[in-house]
């Protein structure tokens, strides 16, 4: 009997349940972990997600998308498989997908060519996740399983995150220190921007100016009960207004566009896990870099592997081969699964 999940050209496929998890192209039924563009593909026949992800997916996929949400922990039979969603701690509504098969089956062979016997298996696909605290989403929940499919976006020992509260304190200090110029902070418009707006509440109540792509997503977070700093759309400001001393949040795709000229003299910064790499800030010509990521770091990934008690670990995305090799060296049955997807243009 084949494994419960197999890599297919469209993405990870569960034949027993008749669905794909985070497909890359339109499929009849997509089980979606969260609303980021590289996980939620437009044009699918139907979508199943965590209930708290529904407003974000509706915003991103449009009114024609057939969306259905499930409460965290609710179990649903799809064909012969049973599916449930569990908090991933990545962004609002992000979820791990727990899939339980109806039949006993062999665990899939890894790159080492070994199998771990046959049983009624439980798989968990983490999607993107993080282990650090974040007031904008439900915290990560450990889900015991036989096979763990974990993301490996930052699966190298160099990626170890500082306390996010201290990173946000540094962002606030940088902003306040730029009294004579604007502070333009580039960040992911969904998840990262809202995390920054919520985290800065500890240090200030001043409003923050935001790019037009951020404002509607911030409104969805507020509707979900997330407390954040007040936001002011840049597009609605009076022409010629000075932005000296103000903080502006913008997507990295806005960098270098005419939109930036309105800020006059400014400093730029980027909030991303990639800022942990030495020299990355200088190479990308930012004045400051803040290593704030919505993905698990090296320690968080290893902690998740251990706590899952999985008999086999399959890594996907990012540094998947490096993670699988390390785990095998530690005696863990591990391998890679799927193909490496192109990264989102805004990064993290």
């Amino acid at each position: 009997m084949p494994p419960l999940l197999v890599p297919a050209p469209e993405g990870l496929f569960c034949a027993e349940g008749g669905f794909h998890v985070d497909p890359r192209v339109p499929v009849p039924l997509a089980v979606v972990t969260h609303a980021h563009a590289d996980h939620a593909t437009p044009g699918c026949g139907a979508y199943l997600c965590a209930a708290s992800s529904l407003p974000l997916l509706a915003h991103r996929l449009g009114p024609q998308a057939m969306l259905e949400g499930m409460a965290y922990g609710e179990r649903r039979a799809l064909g012969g498989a049973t599916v449930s969603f569990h908090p991933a701690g990545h962004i609002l509504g992000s979820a791990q997908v727990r899939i339980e098969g109806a039949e006993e089956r062999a665990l899939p062979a890894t790159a080492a060519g070994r199998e771990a016997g046959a049983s009624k298996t439980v798989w968990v696909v983490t999607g993107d996740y993080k282990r650090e605290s974040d007031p904008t989403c439900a915290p990560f929940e450990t889900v015991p399983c036989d096979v763990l499919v974990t993301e490996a976006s930052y699966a190298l020992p160099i990626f170890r995150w500082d306390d996010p509260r201290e990173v946000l304190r540094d962002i606030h200090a940088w902003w306040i220190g730029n009294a004579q110029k604007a502070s333009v902070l580039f960040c992911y418009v969904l998840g990262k921007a809202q995390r920054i707006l919520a985290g800065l509440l500890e240090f200030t109540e001043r409003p923050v100016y935001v790019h037009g792509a951020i404002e509607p997503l911030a409104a969805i977070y507020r509707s979900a009960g997330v407390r954040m700093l007040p936001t002011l759309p840049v597009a609605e400001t009076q022409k010629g207004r000075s932005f000296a001393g103000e903080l502006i949040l913008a997507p990295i795709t806005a960098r270098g566009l005419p939109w930036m000229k309105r800020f006059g003299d400014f400093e730029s910064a980027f909030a991303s896990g990639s800022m942990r790499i030495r020299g990355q800030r200088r190479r990308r010509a930012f004045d400051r870099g803040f290593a704030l990521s919505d993905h698990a770091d090296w320690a968080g990934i290893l902690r998740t592997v251990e706590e899952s008690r999985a008999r086999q670990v399959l890594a996907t995305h990012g540094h998947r081969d490096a993670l699988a090799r390390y785990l095998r060296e530690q005696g863990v049955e591990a391998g890679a699964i799927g193909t490496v997807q192109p990264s989102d243009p805004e990064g993290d």
Side-chain angles (χ1 to χ4, degrees):
M1 180 173 290
L4 191 55
L5 281 177
V6 296
E10 302 82 5
L12 293 180
F13 179 58
C14 178
E16 195 165 321
F19 61 84
H20 291 79
V21 179
D22 289 350
R24 296 185 293 274
V25 297
V27 297
L29 177 58
V31 172
V32 178
T33 61
H34 65 285
H36 277 151
D38 54 340
H39 293 258
T41 296
C44 293
Y47 300 84
L48 189 63
C49 64
S52 49
S53 191
L54 281 172
L56 292 170
L57 283 169
H59 173 78
R60 291 214 141 179
L61 298 174
Q64 76 286 349
M66 300 293 292
L67 301 170
E68 184 179 0
M70 293 168 52
Y72 285 134
E74 177 186 349
R75 293 164 68 89
R76 174 79 59 86
L78 295 178
T82 301
V83 171
S84 58
F85 293 96
H86 303 266
H90 178 56
I91 65 170
L92 179 66
S94 62
Q96 306 169 80
V97 182
R98 181 186 185 275
I99 307 167
E100 181 176 333
E103 305 292 337
E104 291 189 355
R105 65 188 70 234
L107 294 180
T110 65
R114 298 188 299 273
E115 293 189 353
S119 68
K120 184 176 178 180
T121 57
V122 171
W123 288 53
V124 168
V125 181
T126 65
D128 294 340
Y129 69 99
K130 69 174 178 291
R131 304 301 303 262
E132 287 73 30
S133 63
D134 180 349
T136 69
C137 61
F140 180 92
E141 174 187 314
T142 298
V143 185
C145 58
D146 298 298
V147 181
L148 179 70
V149 180
T150 178
E151 66 137 315
S153 299
Y154 288 107
L156 291 176
I158 61 171
F159 293 114
R160 299 177 187 269
W161 310 142
D162 296 328
D163 182 341
R165 182 173 175 269
E166 296 306 313
V167 178
L168 288 158
R169 186 190 299 276
D170 289 344
I171 290 174
H172 179 251
W174 169 68
W175 170 16
I176 298 305
N178 285 335
Q180 304 304 316
K181 59 180 71 174
S183 300
V184 180
L185 178 58
F186 295 104
C187 59
Y188 200 101
V189 300
L190 173 54
K192 187 68 60 62
Q194 294 75 31
R195 187 181 181 193
I196 291 168
L197 291 168
L200 288 176
L201 266 176
E202 182 177 351
F203 310 107
T204 183
E205 295 183 357
R206 288 179 59 184
V208 173
Y209 287 87
V210 296
H211 185 277
I214 294 175
E215 183 62 19
L217 298 171
I220 292 173
Y221 270 67
R222 288 194 176 93
S223 296
V226 178
R227 293 182 62 247
M228 297 181 293
L229 289 179
T231 52
L232 302 170
V234 170
E236 297 179 12
T237 57
Q238 184 178 0
K239 187 176 181 179
R241 184 203 188 283
S242 172
F243 285 89
E246 305 291 359
L247 176 65
I248 301 100
L249 300 186
I252 195 66
T253 51
R255 193 182 190 196
L257 296 181
W259 182 83
M260 297 290 299
K261 294 181 180 179
R262 70 191 70 197
F263 304 124
D265 190 17
F266 68 87
E267 281 197 7
S268 67
F270 190 30
S272 167
S274 64
M275 293 294 99
R276 176 59 72 208
I277 301 175
R278 184 182 298 275
Q280 182 79 336
R281 175 186 63 80
R282 291 190 300 275
R283 284 192 293 271
R284 301 186 67 174
F286 293 110
D287 296 301
R288 289 291 301 272
F290 300 102
L292 184 68
S293 177
D294 288 330
H295 293 263
D297 65 358
W298 176 249
I301 292 171
L302 297 185
R303 174 186 171 191
T304 301
V305 168
E306 180 180 4
E307 292 178 352
S308 74
R309 303 198 301 274
R311 291 184 288 163
Q312 185 172 50
V313 178
L314 300 174
T316 184
H317 309 317
H319 301 285
R320 60 181 196 158
D321 293 325
L323 175 62
R325 182 169 56 252
Y326 173 83
L327 291 175
R328 288 196 298 271
E329 290 171 354
Q330 307 307 306
V332 177
E333 189 80 12
I337 190 169
T339 58
V340 177
Q341 292 184 225
S343 60
D344 189 285
E346 290 186 282
D348 178 79

